[in-house]
Amino acid sequence: MPVPSRRSLAPVVAALLALAGAGAAHPAVARAAGHAGGGVTPLDDSLFGRSGKLRARIVSRSRSPLAIPILERLFGDSAIAVPGVYTIEDSATGNPFSFITLRPFEDKARGRVGAYRVGNWPAEKRRRIRSEAYSNPEGFIEVTPDNQDTPVSDHFRLRDFLTHDQQDVWPKFLVLRDELVDKLELVIDDLEAHGTHVARLAVMSGFRTPQYNANGVGRGRARDSRHQFGDAADVFVDNDGDGRMDDLNHDHHINTRDAKVILAAVERVEREHPELVGGAGTYRATRAHGPFLHIDVRGDRARWGRG
């Protein structure tokens, strides 16, 4: 499958602009319309991310003002209100691009969304939270057997970020932020640019429901873990597919020094994109897993390490 780029996706940008009729409605969209033939535009950042490799946008009224008119023009005025995955094909590359709308947080009742157990978020348990970043999620992505393989970027699919429990319960519900996926793609690009080939950046743990997260509190999981908010992932490079970190620094050992190769890429990405700043922590191998790096986009810098 061809690898999408901003230039190859430019026909999609132009088509979306024409379909949305939004060129005069928003200055950023108008500027994008003038550059739809290629290069970086504000709409590229809005739809395809800073990496240029996003293949889906999670649409909400508060976070996606530019995407909403496009979504409604393409799929109807009710699209923002009806949770689902709305996909179009890029005729230039054959690659899909999806708009994903959310099931409202208010649909959660007694710690469940439908039959899927999620538990309760920190803000539901106390009157005060440490910051806005710890507010309840706006809503949930409804993941089904049919849409779980929806690409959210060149390297990742919805199923990569699902909580690892309730295997037989469908639909499942997911909280995920575009910024996390974009940052992971930028980290892959940076590793490649600095000589580390990445065929697969494996997500060991993405979204964790509060219920699932609570099972590990006191055993390595934070009570207010960012994983509950859809902006964190524990990752490792696994090009050989053995389920463990590869020897990234070529010292013939697999340990946290390999995780620190990824950490160096995170540092460079955050310097170039301070709006994606967040936490990064190295974790050593155990009997259950190899070493890995935690990455998040919480909005302020945090660093920690084990091993």
Side-chain angles (χ1 to χ4, degrees):
M1 179 178 290
V3 176
S5 68
R6 285 191 172 103
R7 186 170 297 277
S8 67
L9 285 170
V12 178
V13 177
L16 291 173
L17 287 167
L19 286 166
H26 194 288
V29 178
R31 290 195 299 273
H35 296 85
V40 179
T41 74
L43 192 61
D44 285 327
D45 283 346
S46 178
L47 289 178
F48 310 119
R50 298 154 185 84
S51 65
K53 295 185 176 180
L54 296 187
R55 289 170 60 184
R57 270 294 176 177
I58 300 159
V59 181
S60 69
R61 294 193 182 279
S62 65
R63 300 181 62 87
S64 316
L66 287 181
I68 289 173
I70 296 172
L71 173 70
E72 291 179 338
R73 188 63 179 266
L74 285 169
F75 298 101
D77 293 343
S78 65
I80 187 65
V82 179
V85 177
Y86 298 85
T87 302
I88 60 172
E89 293 290 334
D90 177 359
S91 59
T93 66
N95 290 325
F97 188 90
S98 299
F99 296 90
I100 302 173
T101 56
L102 303 177
R103 185 158 174 177
F105 186 81
E106 292 71 25
D107 282 1
K108 184 173 78 71
R110 300 186 184 90
R112 294 173 181 255
V113 186
Y116 192 72
R117 300 185 304 275
V118 295
N120 295 298
W121 271 259
E124 296 180 275
K125 302 176 184 178
R126 61 187 75 142
R127 293 183 179 179
R128 298 183 63 183
I129 57 174
R130 64 173 71 177
S131 72
E132 189 66 24
Y134 291 85
S135 298
N136 294 331
E138 187 168 353
F140 307 100
I141 300 169
E142 187 169 312
V143 183
T144 69
D146 291 334
N147 71 21
Q148 64 177 324
D149 285 313
T150 298
V152 291
S153 70
D154 280 7
H155 291 92
F156 302 102
R157 287 166 168 70
L158 283 177
R159 60 179 164 82
D160 293 325
F161 298 94
L162 287 170
T163 302
H164 300 307
D165 70 347
Q166 305 174 76
Q167 296 299 319
D168 296 328
V169 179
W170 296 95
K172 304 179 190 298
F173 291 91
L174 170 66
V175 178
L176 182 63
R177 286 183 55 191
D178 300 316
E179 293 90 344
L180 172 65
V181 181
D182 206 13
K183 186 174 185 177
L184 294 177
E185 288 287 357
L186 288 167
V187 167
I188 292 172
D189 285 348
D190 183 273
L191 287 167
E192 291 275 2
H194 287 83
T196 298
H197 175 57
V198 183
R200 180 171 183 253
L201 187 66
V203 179
M204 187 175 78
S205 181
F207 170 59
R208 296 181 196 147
T209 64
Q211 173 190 268
Y212 184 83
N213 187 73
N215 293 333
V217 171
R219 294 184 287 113
R221 294 180 190 167
R223 190 174 303 278
D224 287 350
S225 169
R226 294 309 310 170
H227 288 270
Q228 299 170 102
F229 301 91
D231 63 10
D234 298 335
V235 301
F236 57 94
V237 174
D238 183 22
N239 293 335
D240 59 12
D242 67 353
R244 295 256 170 167
M245 177 79 81
D246 292 349
D247 180 14
L248 302 185
N249 65 350
H250 309 295
D251 67 353
H252 305 291
H253 298 282
I254 307 296
N255 51 38
T256 54
R257 286 190 289 272
D258 299 297
K260 289 176 180 177
V261 173
I262 308 175
L263 176 60
V266 171
E267 297 284 9
R268 291 187 292 264
V269 167
E270 289 191 0
R271 283 196 295 271
E272 186 172 353
H273 301 279
E275 69 278 12
L276 296 179
V277 69
T282 55
Y283 288 80
R284 63 177 180 267
T286 69
R287 291 181 179 178
H289 58 72
F292 65 88
L293 186 76
H294 169 103
I295 301 174
D296 68 52
V297 286
R298 67 182 66 188
D300 55 80
R301 190 179 191 275
R303 295 291 184 269
W304 63 92
R306 297 184 179 181

